[in-house]
Amino acid sequence: DAKTTQPPSMDCAEGRAANLPCNHSTISGNEYVYWYRQIHSQGPQYIIHGLKNNETNEMASLIITEDRKSSTLILPHATLRDTAVYYCIVHISSGSARQLTFGSGTQLTVLP
Amino acid sequence: DGGITQSPKYLFRKEGQNVTLSCEQNLNHDAMYWYRQDPGQGLRLIYYSQIVNDFQKGDIAEGYSVSREKKESFPLTVTSAQKNPTAFYLCASSPLIGPYGYTFGSGTRLTVV
């Protein structure tokens, strides 16, 4: 699975958009980009995933660059409840269990 | 509602004791995973299983054991051989087919006293 690089921390004002970047320059053609978040002392929560096209769901939007070497998770109107660690993971979708390792992620702090 | 249940939420263990952490899922997922998380760190894979009666070691399997006798259940035993067991333990599951994400449980916090 491709390695990802994320900034260790970011701040965002409440009500503003939070844009969380992720670099995955070694991504291969059949690897998806996944985003999860972990609120303190809870299990991680799946947010969104994508392959090539931009994706949007009720939680967030995912923008993947045309060369697929980086992506941005967008929380359009951040709230205090969005304060969490956000993980960007890249892996293939296959018929076997995936041995994923979650790195340190980005600590997003939403400020009042 | 479907999901993953981990129990107990908090667990205290005396040094030299084995303890077993429970993980049950009703999502009909084939694959199940155990992760360990230390304070301020990411998640490290302990064991994973993609079918009943079969499981594989992850990156930090030493001092841990698992079983997969039922599709729904994947208990983790922290043995006395694990020298630093105090940590937050997370169980997850996923389908094997399709680009679906993991579903995580709420975790068990183990403390050695």
Side-chain angles (χ1 to χ4, degrees):
Chain A
D1 297 324
K3 178 181 171 61
T4 62
T5 304
Q6 300 177 253
S9 64
M10 296 181 63
D11 292 340
C12 176
E14 188 177 19
R16 304 296 293 270
N19 298 296
L20 291 92
C22 180
N23 286 323
H24 30 79
S25 58
T26 60
I27 192 170
S28 60
N30 60 350
E31 288 184 311
Y32 288 76
V33 180
Y34 291 79
W35 284 84
Y36 295 81
R37 74 178 182 185
Q38 184 178 25
I39 296 171
H40 184 63
S41 295
Q42 297 183 21
Q45 175 191 24
Y46 162 82
I47 300 173
I48 197 168
H49 73 275
L51 182 62
K52 296 180 182 179
N53 301 319
N54 299 337
E55 303 288 344
T56 296
N57 62 22
E58 64 279 4
M59 291 182 66
S61 295
L62 174 60
I63 308 298
I64 302 174
T65 58
E66 190 169 347
D67 64 7
R68 302 207 326 121
K69 293 184 177 182
S70 66
S71 61
T72 301
L73 179 75
I74 301 173
L75 308 178
H77 305 286
T79 70
L80 299 179
R81 294 181 182 180
D82 293 320
T83 292
V85 176
Y86 288 77
Y87 299 100
C88 170
I89 310 292
V90 173
H91 64 83
I92 64 173
S93 166
S94 71
S96 61
R98 293 154 279 181
Q99 303 177 53
L100 301 186
T101 297
F102 290 64
S104 299
T106 296
Q107 171 66 60
L108 174 68
T109 302
V110 180
L111 304 171
Chain B
D1 288 337
I4 293 185
T5 301
Q6 288 189 244
S7 62
K9 189 172 179 64
Y10 298 96
L11 187 58
F12 296 89
R13 188 195 92 171
K14 292 182 180 179
E15 286 193 26
Q17 285 183 337
N18 293 352
V19 290
T20 298
L21 284 58
S22 171
C23 177
E24 303 277 336
Q25 55 102 356
N26 61 2
L27 301 166
N28 199 33
H29 287 171
D30 290 301
M32 296 188 74
Y33 312 82
W34 274 105
Y35 284 90
R36 169 181 172 139
Q37 187 174 36
D38 292 290
Q41 306 295 313
L43 281 64
R44 293 184 290 170
L45 182 64
I46 305 173
Y47 269 99
Y48 64 98
S49 167
Q50 58 185 25
I51 194 171
V52 173
N53 293 324
D54 183 67
F55 44 84
Q56 304 297 326
K57 293 181 179 180
D59 300 321
I60 56 165
E62 185 174 354
Y64 300 97
S65 66
V66 293
S67 62
R68 188 89 186 273
E69 298 178 0
K70 299 185 300 180
K71 185 176 182 178
E72 303 79 17
S73 178
F74 192 41
L76 173 74
T77 297
V78 184
T79 75
S80 56
Q82 171 50 239
K83 297 306 179 187
N84 186 20
T86 294
F88 189 46
Y89 291 88
L90 288 157
C91 180
S93 70
S94 71
L96 285 180
I97 304 299
Y100 301 106
Y102 283 21
T103 300
F104 281 87
S106 57
T108 293
R109 190 166 299 279
L110 173 64
T111 303
V112 173
V113 296

